[in-house]
């Protein structure tokens, strides 16, 4: 019986799964991107045709598996599958069989173990199908805007004579805009209060052309920053985490997901993640502790210092960095 899986569910049984297979070592053997504004696509090589044929053969052998979407890229393959009934093995085992089939077809088709994602809700399925089919266009956009999709490490930012460093992707010149505003929303705000704050933020952005900074964590912050993006105003998002670790295999190929990708390609977005040095900076630590103490005192509660690796402390640290950046 079908049911939407939770994120923590094991990769087994009836469900919908997104698999990404990458050739070792990212060799573009499956085809070439066709830079067509109307129909961006991958023109398959003979190896690409062989890989697609072998994958279709897997489908014929397993009628209880349906391919919902496939995107052949020069160096990797995206596959969205619907497992309609128990196949007697895990998705990892299925993927291992697919990789073995490709390798037996041609030893050049040597794929790494795939990245596997379990889909957990109906709306996610539509978005994922669109994402899979949109991969050639997104790759071409990234190719045409290399600077905007370059992951910078230790980018220095100075405010008031104090310098902190961040990992960054997007348009770093947004940091130089003299007009800045911060968006922070308590989780206790009503919808009416959030909408009122949103109107003030949009008015300020339209009037002064300022850059809007936020961690986009709470519902209110996400609502307002979505409005900022939809109105095509520049924005800076401070991430608690989000970029691949330095030196990891995925670092070179990282790009923002979803709507952030489009906003980044237009030069209206900068993503920042504090480096370890910034997270441990004495000024940042002191301001974070003071902010937490002030919140406790406002509620007439005794302040108990939080561990710096706790989610609550790190969320407040990000709020402090948003305020600092927007000063």
């Amino acid at each position: 019986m079908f049911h939407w899986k939770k994120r923590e569910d094991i990769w087994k049984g009836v469900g919908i799964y997104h698999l990404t297979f990458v050739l070792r070592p990212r060799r573009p053997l499956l085809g070439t991107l066709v830079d067509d504004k109307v129909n961006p696509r991958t023109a398959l090589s003979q190896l690409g045709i062989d890989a697609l044929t072998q994958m279709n053969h897997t489908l014929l052998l397993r009628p209880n598996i349906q391919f919902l979407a496939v995107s052949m890229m020069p160096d990797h393959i995206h596959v969205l599958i619907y497992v309609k009934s128990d196949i007697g093995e895990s998705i990892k085992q299925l993927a291992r069989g697919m990789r073995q089939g490709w390798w037996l077809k041609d030893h050049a088709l040597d794929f790494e173990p795939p990245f596997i994602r379990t889909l957990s809700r109906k709306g996610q399925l539509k978005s994922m199908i669109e994402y899979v089919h949109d991969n050639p266009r997104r790759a071409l956009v990234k190719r045409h805007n290399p600077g905007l999709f370059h992951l910078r490490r230790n980018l220095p930012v100075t405010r008031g004579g104090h310098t902190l460093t961040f990992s960054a992707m997007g348009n770093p010149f947004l940091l130089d805009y003299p007009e800045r505003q911060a968006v922070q929303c308590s989780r206790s705000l009503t919808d009416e209060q959030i909408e009122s704050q949103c109107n003030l933020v949009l008015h300020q952005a339209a009037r002064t052309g300022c850059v809007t900074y936020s961690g986009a964590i709470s519902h209110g912050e996400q609502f307002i920053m979505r409005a900022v993006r939809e109105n095509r105003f520049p924005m800076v998002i401070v991430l608690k985490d989000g970029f691949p670790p330095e030196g990891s295999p995925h670092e070179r190929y990282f790009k923002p997901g979803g709507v952030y990708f489009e906003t980044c390609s237009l030069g209206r977005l900068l993503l920042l993640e504090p480096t370890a040095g910034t997270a441990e900076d004495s000024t940042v630590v002191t301001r974070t502790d003071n902010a937490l103490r002030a919140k406790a005192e406002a509620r007439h509660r005794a302040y108990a210092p939080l561990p710096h690796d706790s989610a609550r402390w790190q969320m407040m640290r990000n709020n402090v960095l948003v305020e600092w950046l927007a000063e």
Side-chain angles (χ1 to χ4, degrees), residues 181-189 193-194 197-198 201 212-225 228 236 238 287-288 291 295 312 314-327:
Q181 65 177 336
V183 169
Q184 294 182 357
C185 295
S186 167
R187 297 178 186 273
S188 63
L189 293 184
Q193 290 171 320
I194 292 172
Q197 184 173 341
C198 181
V201 168
T212 305
Y213 290 73
S214 181
I217 296 174
S218 71
H219 165 69
E221 292 165 1
Q222 292 171 358
F223 177 88
I224 293 172
M225 296 308 287
V228 170
V236 176
V238 181
R287 290 180 65 162
T288 302
K295 278 186 171 291
R312 172 69 173 158
Q314 292 182 5
M315 184 178 70
M316 182 56 71
R317 181 201 63 202
N318 260 37
N319 287 341
V320 163
L321 289 172
V322 167
E323 291 176 352
W324 181 83
L325 286 161
E327 288 176 354

Side-chain angles (χ1 to χ4, degrees), residues 58-71:
T58 300
L59 178 62
L60 290 174
L61 293 176
R62 297 178 177 274
N64 48 353
I65 295 178
Q66 177 183 353
F67 288 139
L68 300 178
V70 176
S71 180

Side-chain angles (χ1 to χ4, degrees), residues 45 150 251:
S45 64
H150 172 63
E251 181 181 21

Side-chain angles (χ1 to χ4, degrees), residues 285-299 301-308 310 312-317 320:
V285 170
T286 299
R287 290 180 65 162
T288 302
D289 285 333
N290 288 343
L292 286 167
R293 182 179 291 104
K295 278 186 171 291
E297 291 173 352
R299 295 184 173 93
R301 297 175 181 171
Y303 173 63
L306 295 174
H308 292 182
S310 67
R312 172 69 173 158
W313 195 92
Q314 292 182 5
M315 184 178 70
M316 182 56 71
R317 181 201 63 202
V320 163

Side-chain angles (χ1 to χ4, degrees), residues 20-225:
T20 303
F21 296 92
V22 179
L23 277 173
R24 305 176 194 265
R26 300 291 303 218
R27 293 175 299 168
L29 302 179
L30 303 178
T32 55
L33 288 171
V34 178
D35 195 352
D36 186 330
K37 292 183 178 179
V38 177
N39 182 28
R41 62 195 182 277
T42 302
L44 295 182
S45 64
Q46 186 57 53
L47 268 178
I49 293 172
D50 291 345
L52 184 60
T53 300
Q54 180 64 32
M55 191 160 53
N56 288 332
H57 180 65
T58 300
L59 178 62
L60 290 174
L61 293 176
R62 297 178 177 274
N64 48 353
I65 295 178
Q66 177 183 353
F67 288 139
L68 300 178
V70 176
S71 180
M72 304 287 294
M73 299 294 289
D75 60 0
H76 65 279
I77 302 174
H78 288 283
V79 187
L80 195 62
I81 64 171
Y82 170 28
V83 177
K84 296 184 284 187
S85 60
D86 187 15
I87 57 175
E89 60 183 348
S90 69
I91 302 303
K92 279 188 175 181
Q93 291 170 316
L94 170 67
R96 187 182 301 118
M98 293 173 68
R99 291 168 54 222
Q100 289 174 345
W102 279 319
W103 189 81
L104 290 173
K105 184 81 173 178
D106 192 307
H107 285 9
L109 295 173
D110 183 16
F111 288 89
E112 297 177 359
F115 171 80
I116 304 173
R117 176 183 298 169
T118 300
L119 272 65
S120 58
R121 63 186 187 279
K122 187 175 182 180
Q124 191 181 13
L125 174 59
K126 180 177 182 295
S127 298
M128 189 57 67
I129 290 176
E130 292 173 352
Y131 169 82
V132 169
H133 289 316
D134 196 39
N135 255 257
R137 184 191 68 84
R138 290 164 58 89
L140 288 165
V141 167
K142 186 177 178 182
R143 176 186 292 178
H144 294 321
N145 300 275
L148 295 175
F149 293 97
H150 172 63
L151 180 52
R152 298 168 173 84
R153 300 292 187 180
N154 296 306
L155 175 72
V157 183
T158 301
R159 297 285 189 264
H162 190 60
T163 300
L164 298 175
T165 56
F166 296 82
S167 294
M169 178 173 285
N171 183 358
F173 295 107
L174 296 180
L175 293 167
D176 299 332
Y177 277 45
E179 297 293 333
R180 302 183 280 264
Q181 65 177 336
V183 169
Q184 294 182 357
C185 295
S186 167
R187 297 178 186 273
S188 63
L189 293 184
T190 65
D191 289 345
E192 290 76 13
Q193 290 171 320
I194 292 172
E195 189 166 346
S196 176
Q197 184 173 341
C198 181
N199 290 334
L200 291 174
V201 168
L202 294 178
H203 174 74
Q204 182 73 358
R207 186 176 68 84
T208 66
C210 68
V211 175
T212 305
Y213 290 73
S214 181
I217 296 174
S218 71
H219 165 69
E221 292 165 1
Q222 292 171 358
F223 177 88
I224 293 172
M225 296 308 287

